[in-house]
PDB file of all heavy atoms in Angstrom:
ATOM      1  N   LEU R 118     -15.716  40.498 -24.717  1.00  0.00           N
ATOM      2  CA  LEU R 118     -14.723  41.242 -23.943  1.00  0.00           C
ATOM      3  C   LEU R 118     -15.074  42.727 -23.890  1.00  0.00           C
ATOM      4  O   LEU R 118     -14.871  43.384 -22.856  1.00  0.00           O
ATOM      5  CB  LEU R 118     -13.340  41.050 -24.551  1.00  0.00           C
ATOM      6  CG  LEU R 118     -12.175  41.514 -23.689  1.00  0.00           C
ATOM      7  CD1 LEU R 118     -12.084  40.656 -22.439  1.00  0.00           C
ATOM      8  CD2 LEU R 118     -10.867  41.429 -24.458  1.00  0.00           C
ATOM      9  N   ALA R 119     -15.598  43.265 -24.976  1.00  0.00           N
ATOM     10  CA  ALA R 119     -16.012  44.669 -24.963  1.00  0.00           C
ATOM     11  C   ALA R 119     -17.079  44.911 -23.905  1.00  0.00           C
ATOM     12  O   ALA R 119     -17.124  45.979 -23.277  1.00  0.00           O
ATOM     13  CB  ALA R 119     -16.527  45.071 -26.339  1.00  0.00           C
ATOM     14  N   GLY R 120     -17.931  43.917 -23.686  1.00  0.00           N
ATOM     15  CA  GLY R 120     -18.974  44.067 -22.683  1.00  0.00           C
ATOM     16  C   GLY R 120     -18.438  44.083 -21.272  1.00  0.00           C
ATOM     17  O   GLY R 120     -18.629  45.067 -20.531  1.00  0.00           O
ATOM     18  N   TYR R 121     -17.720  43.021 -20.887  1.00  0.00           N
ATOM     19  CA  TYR R 121     -17.328  42.996 -19.474  1.00  0.00           C
ATOM     20  C   TYR R 121     -16.097  43.843 -19.183  1.00  0.00           C
ATOM     21  O   TYR R 121     -15.810  44.148 -18.027  1.00  0.00           O
ATOM     22  CB  TYR R 121     -17.175  41.567 -18.959  1.00  0.00           C
ATOM     23  CG  TYR R 121     -16.001  40.755 -19.431  1.00  0.00           C
ATOM     24  CD1 TYR R 121     -14.707  41.020 -19.009  1.00  0.00           C
ATOM     25  CD2 TYR R 121     -16.183  39.664 -20.272  1.00  0.00           C
ATOM     26  CE1 TYR R 121     -13.631  40.254 -19.415  1.00  0.00           C
ATOM     27  CE2 TYR R 121     -15.111  38.878 -20.685  1.00  0.00           C
ATOM     28  CZ  TYR R 121     -13.847  39.188 -20.249  1.00  0.00           C
ATOM     29  OH  TYR R 121     -12.783  38.422 -20.647  1.00  0.00           O
ATOM     30  N   THR R 122     -15.350  44.299 -20.208  1.00  0.00           N
ATOM     31  CA  THR R 122     -14.287  45.276 -19.964  1.00  0.00           C
ATOM     32  C   THR R 122     -14.882  46.598 -19.489  1.00  0.00           C
ATOM     33  O   THR R 122     -14.346  47.253 -18.577  1.00  0.00           O
ATOM     34  CB  THR R 122     -13.457  45.498 -21.238  1.00  0.00           C
ATOM     35  OG1 THR R 122     -12.748  44.297 -21.548  1.00  0.00           O
ATOM     36  CG2 THR R 122     -12.449  46.615 -21.043  1.00  0.00           C
ATOM     37  N   ALA R 123     -15.988  46.989 -20.100  1.00  0.00           N
ATOM     38  CA  ALA R 123     -16.663  48.209 -19.636  1.00  0.00           C
ATOM     39  C   ALA R 123     -17.099  48.065 -18.186  1.00  0.00           C
ATOM     40  O   ALA R 123     -17.035  49.030 -17.403  1.00  0.00           O
ATOM     41  CB  ALA R 123     -17.868  48.506 -20.529  1.00  0.00           C
ATOM     42  N   ALA R 124     -17.525  46.872 -17.793  1.00  0.00           N
ATOM     43  CA  ALA R 124     -17.912  46.648 -16.398  1.00  0.00           C
ATOM     44  C   ALA R 124     -16.697  46.698 -15.480  1.00  0.00           C
ATOM     45  O   ALA R 124     -16.743  47.289 -14.384  1.00  0.00           O
ATOM     46  CB  ALA R 124     -18.626  45.308 -16.266  1.00  0.00           C
ATOM     47  N   LEU R 125     -15.588  46.083 -15.910  1.00  0.00           N
ATOM     48  CA  LEU R 125     -14.387  46.048 -15.069  1.00  0.00           C
ATOM     49  C   LEU R 125     -13.804  47.442 -14.836  1.00  0.00           C
ATOM     50  O   LEU R 125     -13.228  47.717 -13.776  1.00  0.00           O
ATOM     51  CB  LEU R 125     -13.327  45.147 -15.707  1.00  0.00           C
ATOM     52  CG  LEU R 125     -13.647  43.653 -15.766  1.00  0.00           C
ATOM     53  CD1 LEU R 125     -12.559  42.897 -16.518  1.00  0.00           C
ATOM     54  CD2 LEU R 125     -13.808  43.075 -14.367  1.00  0.00           C
ATOM     55  N   ILE R 126     -13.942  48.314 -15.824  1.00  0.00           N
ATOM     56  CA  ILE R 126     -13.401  49.668 -15.684  1.00  0.00           C
ATOM     57  C   ILE R 126     -14.451  50.635 -15.151  1.00  0.00           C
ATOM     58  O   ILE R 126     -14.171  51.490 -14.307  1.00  0.00           O
ATOM     59  CB  ILE R 126     -12.867  50.174 -17.040  1.00  0.00           C
ATOM     60  CG1 ILE R 126     -11.732  49.284 -17.532  1.00  0.00           C
ATOM     61  CG2 ILE R 126     -12.391  51.612 -16.936  1.00  0.00           C
ATOM     62  CD1 ILE R 126     -11.227  49.649 -18.899  1.00  0.00           C
ATOM     63  N   GLY R 127     -15.676  50.488 -15.622  1.00  0.00           N
ATOM     64  CA  GLY R 127     -16.701  51.470 -15.305  1.00  0.00           C
ATOM     65  C   GLY R 127     -17.190  51.432 -13.876  1.00  0.00           C
ATOM     66  O   GLY R 127     -17.305  52.481 -13.219  1.00  0.00           O
ATOM     67  N   PHE R 128     -17.479  50.253 -13.339  1.00  0.00           N
ATOM     68  CA  PHE R 128     -18.066  50.195 -11.999  1.00  0.00           C
ATOM     69  C   PHE R 128     -17.106  50.674 -10.905  1.00  0.00           C
ATOM     70  O   PHE R 128     -17.528  51.420 -10.008  1.00  0.00           O
ATOM     71  CB  PHE R 128     -18.562  48.783 -11.703  1.00  0.00           C
ATOM     72  CG  PHE R 128     -19.815  48.438 -12.447  1.00  0.00           C
ATOM     73  CD1 PHE R 128     -19.824  47.435 -13.404  1.00  0.00           C
ATOM     74  CD2 PHE R 128     -20.996  49.134 -12.219  1.00  0.00           C
ATOM     75  CE1 PHE R 128     -20.976  47.120 -14.101  1.00  0.00           C
ATOM     76  CE2 PHE R 128     -22.158  48.832 -12.920  1.00  0.00           C
ATOM     77  CZ  PHE R 128     -22.143  47.820 -13.872  1.00  0.00           C
ATOM     78  N   PRO R 129     -15.807  50.304 -10.928  1.00  0.00           N
ATOM     79  CA  PRO R 129     -14.918  50.885  -9.913  1.00  0.00           C
ATOM     80  C   PRO R 129     -14.744  52.397 -10.044  1.00  0.00           C
ATOM     81  O   PRO R 129     -14.324  53.058  -9.089  1.00  0.00           O
ATOM     82  CB  PRO R 129     -13.587  50.159 -10.150  1.00  0.00           C
ATOM     83  CG  PRO R 129     -13.954  48.902 -10.855  1.00  0.00           C
ATOM     84  CD  PRO R 129     -15.119  49.274 -11.710  1.00  0.00           C
ATOM     85  N   SER R 130     -15.064  52.947 -11.240  1.00  0.00           N
ATOM     86  CA  SER R 130     -14.866  54.377 -11.465  1.00  0.00           C
ATOM     87  C   SER R 130     -16.121  55.195 -11.187  1.00  0.00           C
ATOM     88  O   SER R 130     -16.100  56.416 -11.384  1.00  0.00           O
ATOM     89  CB  SER R 130     -14.415  54.628 -12.914  1.00  0.00           C
ATOM     90  OG  SER R 130     -13.231  53.917 -13.198  1.00  0.00           O
ATOM     91  N   VAL R 131     -17.184  54.540 -10.734  1.00  0.00           N
ATOM     92  CA  VAL R 131     -18.430  55.271 -10.483  1.00  0.00           C
ATOM     93  C   VAL R 131     -18.230  56.325  -9.404  1.00  0.00           C
ATOM     94  O   VAL R 131     -18.715  57.470  -9.518  1.00  0.00           O
ATOM     95  CB  VAL R 131     -19.542  54.283 -10.086  1.00  0.00           C
ATOM     96  CG1 VAL R 131     -20.761  55.041  -9.566  1.00  0.00           C
ATOM     97  CG2 VAL R 131     -19.936  53.437 -11.280  1.00  0.00           C
TER      98      VAL R 131
END
Side-chain angles (χ1 to χ4, degrees):
L118 193 66
Y121 71 72
T122 293
L125 293 176
I126 298 176
F128 286 115
S130 302
V131 169

